[in-house]
Amino acid sequence: MTGLIKTTATGLAALLLGAGIANAQAGASALAELQNKDGEPVGSVEVIPGPHGVVLKALLDSLPPGDHGFHLHQTGDCGDGFEAAGGHISTGDQAHGFLNGKGPHAGDLPNVIIGENGTATAQFYTDRVMLEGEDSDVPLLMDEDGTAVIVHENADTYGAEPGAGGRIACGVIEPRG
């Protein structure tokens, strides 16, 4: 019985290693280093490409406790108090909100919950965007004007009116070296 478990574990490790190699060959990940409005670092979001979407891995620190809207914005620019990032990524025929019959925007993501210690970790998968590619029918994060990750001061309502309030953190998604 031990041999079977050992063999299965070895096979699983090889399968996972193979999947990791395939993912690395599919494209390198990207990273957004988030900062607050004072220019201080408050975390990062790694974007890992897959064949049909991306995984976003957020490590956040030094942010106010509670629920916060977390979105992908249409321009990779954190200037002008983070307003230069524009609105949420959208193909134009989408409306805001997971609970909206005409939504969601491609840039709508679940809220992040910051703990009392000011930190959070979160992982999301979305098939509504791709990191990069050709002939994609979904928005590309690494397009000519880039993409920003924004953390908002309040929770997103998931409805037609976001209600997430001001922008408290921003980071531009950039290729990893």
Side-chain angles (χ1 to χ4, degrees):
M1 190 73 158
T2 306
L4 177 60
I5 292 171
K6 184 175 181 181
T7 302
T8 303
T10 303
L12 179 59
L15 177 64
L16 292 174
L17 178 61
I21 291 170
N23 187 40
Q25 292 172 343
S29 65
L31 188 69
E33 295 284 350
L34 277 66
Q35 62 182 353
N36 63 21
K37 289 194 176 183
D38 293 328
E40 299 165 337
V42 293
S44 64
V45 177
E46 182 180 13
V47 183
I48 304 166
H52 304 291
V54 298
V55 173
L56 299 144
K57 295 173 75 172
L59 299 171
L60 306 174
D61 189 19
S62 303
L63 290 170
D67 295 10
H68 297 273
F70 186 74
H71 303 116
L72 298 171
H73 283 248
Q74 62 192 12
T75 305
D77 187 341
C78 292
D80 193 25
F82 307 151
E83 294 300 318
H88 299 173
I89 293 175
S90 175
T91 59
D93 60 347
Q94 303 160 325
H96 177 271
F98 293 120
L99 304 179
N100 182 343
K102 296 179 181 179
H105 286 144
D108 288 343
L109 297 169
N111 290 325
V112 293
I113 303 168
I114 309 294
E116 289 299 318
N117 64 356
T119 68
T121 59
Q123 293 187 20
F124 305 108
Y125 170 79
T126 179
D127 61 0
R128 295 188 314 272
V129 298
M130 295 287 290
L131 185 59
E132 54 191 348
E134 296 178 22
D135 301 322
S136 179
D137 58 350
V138 298
L140 302 176
L141 301 180
M142 299 297 294
D143 63 6
E144 53 197 42
D145 64 355
T147 300
V149 177
I150 298 284
V151 178
H152 292 271
E153 65 184 337
N154 302 315
D156 193 314
T157 66
Y158 300 137
E161 295 298 322
R167 302 169 184 200
I168 62 170
C170 180
V172 175
I173 297 174
E174 298 179 347
R176 291 186 81 167

